[in-house]
Amino acid sequence: MPFDRKDVASISYMLDSIPRGRSLGEQVYERLKQAVVKGDIEPGARVVESVIGESLGISRTPVREAIHKLEKEGLLARSPSKGFFVADLKRSDIEETFGIRTVLESYAARLAAVHHRANELAPLAEKVELYQECLDRGDREALLGINTQFHEMLYGLSRSPKLIKMINDLKDQIYRFRRVILNRDDMAKISNEDHRLMLELMRQRDADGVERVVREHLLKGKDFVLVEFDRKGMVKEGA
Amino acid sequence: MPFDRKDVASISYMLDSIPRGRSLGEQVYERLKQAVVKGDIEPGARVVESVIGESLGISRTPVREAIHKLEKEGLLARSPSKGFFVADLKRSDIEETFGIRTVLESYAARLAAVHHRANELAPLAEKVELYQECLDRGDREALLGINTQFHEMLYGLSRSPKLIKMINDLKDQIYRFRRVILNRDDMAKISNEDHRLMLELMRQRDADGVERVVREHLLKGKDFVLVEFDRKGMVKEGA
DNA sequence: CCATGAGCATTTGGATGAAATATGCCGTTT
DNA sequence: AAACGGCATATTTCATCCAAATGCTCATGG
């Protein structure tokens, strides 16, 4: 596959198809991360430097860099002296992650309610309307993207880059289940109603209210994901 | 040779020999991290693979691994195409970090209040007593360690490893200021009173109460640090 | 038939040389 | 004198080589 640095530079206008990192290591990192997060590589599958390297036509060094970062991030784990593999999600991991996301995202929403400027809510309102249209049309594929954008824009108003980064990292860990949530008709509908409510409370700068709505919003999401998790029989409670 | 021999010398002195860890990369990571969070290497100082490697008598590969991890963690930053350097703390970084720590640690305390078993509070009580003794003796050096242990034990009771890890990572980012807080007589005293109160509320399993006390506890810490930051601009403590 | 150990294969870890890259300096040109 | 372009240099980044650790297989001996 085309993974050459010079090529990337020269045809930079079509860079979207290629992971846009400035170094090979970062490109591998992004690509591997997406593969893990989206479930393209199954949990438990081994991730071997030489294998990845060969399949991409590059040496082991950048792959190693990527693997180590992903290990630190918790997406890969290592079996002592066997190698690396995709970390599997236990039920407790989901509960834990949602719990942390809840406090972090409700805090971000609170900050956003306080810090946002009046004209910054318009793009959010647009997303809500767009979401509604797609919902009416039954265009489920679009929902996922719009939903993501709404939340990113909302938390972006918190003006706290570290917080935003932490939230995104946490979201990656359970990305596999995002589709699950919005594929439920009722949930997709409720979701946008929540968004509308958040927006209204933001307008009123009701920090407590927004925080509460976001918390409840995530609680619903957690319950859906857990039901789905249990249904699939992926139940492996550790500890 | 126009490179800064001063950095080489100081880094070399600090990093010389701490040989505990799985792999060389891990050892370098730990050592470098300590050097950065304790302020042994000043913010803004450049961190160059080859320099660190030479001063430790090893190759660049493990050093590179360590540097990249620390960059991801936010302790090092990169100047576009110049190299890596120790990230400096802006005022907004402190405010941001304390804000996030507050929601995370108060959440951890809430979980701890719910999940702890009755006999698990005894070690915490011991720490409070020990702290008091050291305070009465004027043994400030000991306070720092005991304080850390108390909080680690408390959050440990939350039974949420991810949460604990995130809290610890955040603490590292402002570790340089911990000494500042507890060096103030009044603050050191107030601190233990807060701990006592937390413990009592934990016994009563008053989750809301514990959460509130932890939040206020951290708020005080933040204010102290910010005052200190504004006064000096930056704190340099010999270790 | 079972146990044990030696050798083999697999995989990560570390070292080193070579390449890419950006930057600052210096000389030339207008 | 100012601006522009090319060269020297510092530093990261990638590839390749070798070493060390560990599990597995298979043969051999009791």
Side-chain angles (χ1 to χ4, degrees), chain B residues 29-121:
Chain B
Y29 167 76
E30 285 300 337
R31 194 67 197 100
L32 249 186
K33 179 171 178 173
Q34 288 307 313
V36 170
V37 302
K38 290 189 176 171
D40 294 342
I41 309 179
E42 290 197 358
R46 292 182 60 186
V47 176
V48 178
E49 286 177 12
S50 51
V51 177
I52 307 283
E54 275 174 29
S55 75
L56 293 175
I58 61 176
S59 82
R60 308 189 307 273
T61 308
V63 180
R64 177 185 163 81
E65 201 179 302
I67 288 180
H68 278 86
K69 281 186 187 170
L70 290 171
E71 183 203 14
K72 194 168 165 45
E73 213 166 316
L75 293 172
L76 297 184
R78 79 192 318 163
S79 177
S81 257
K82 275 197 107 169
F84 294 92
F85 58 93
V86 178
D88 57 337
L89 277 176
K90 300 193 298 290
R91 195 179 201 276
S92 63
D93 290 325
I94 296 177
E95 288 173 339
E96 227 183 308
T97 301
F98 261 104
I100 301 172
R101 277 185 65 185
T102 300
V103 296
L104 246 30
E105 296 192 30
S106 59
Y107 174 58
R110 162 176 288 274
L111 288 181
V114 175
H115 290 138
H116 77 89
R117 288 185 278 273
N119 63 343
E120 289 176 322
L121 295 185

Side-chain angles (χ1 to χ4, degrees), chain A residues 124-175:
Chain A
L124 284 171
E126 276 177 33
K127 291 300 171 192
V128 171
E129 292 314 312
L130 185 57
Y131 188 101
Q132 190 61 47
E133 289 171 20
C134 295
L135 194 58
D136 295 339
R137 279 206 312 272
D139 183 0
R140 282 215 181 77
E141 287 309 310
L143 294 186
L144 200 63
I146 300 172
N147 184 66
T148 300
Q149 288 166 10
F150 177 86
H151 281 278
E152 279 179 0
M153 291 167 79
L154 175 61
Y155 302 144
L157 296 182
S158 72
R159 307 270 193 275
S160 179
K162 289 179 198 296
L163 181 58
I164 295 169
K165 185 179 180 311
M166 292 176 79
I167 289 174
N168 284 330
D169 283 351
L170 282 173
K171 257 200 270 212
D172 286 339
Q173 304 219 14
I174 48 176
Y175 185 93

Side-chain angles (χ1 to χ4, degrees), chain A residues 96 100, chain B residues 104 107-108 111 158 160-167:
Chain A
E96 225 183 310
I100 301 173
Chain B
L104 246 30
Y107 174 58
L111 288 181
S158 70
S160 179
K162 289 179 198 296
L163 181 57
I164 295 169
K165 185 179 179 313
M166 292 175 78
I167 290 174

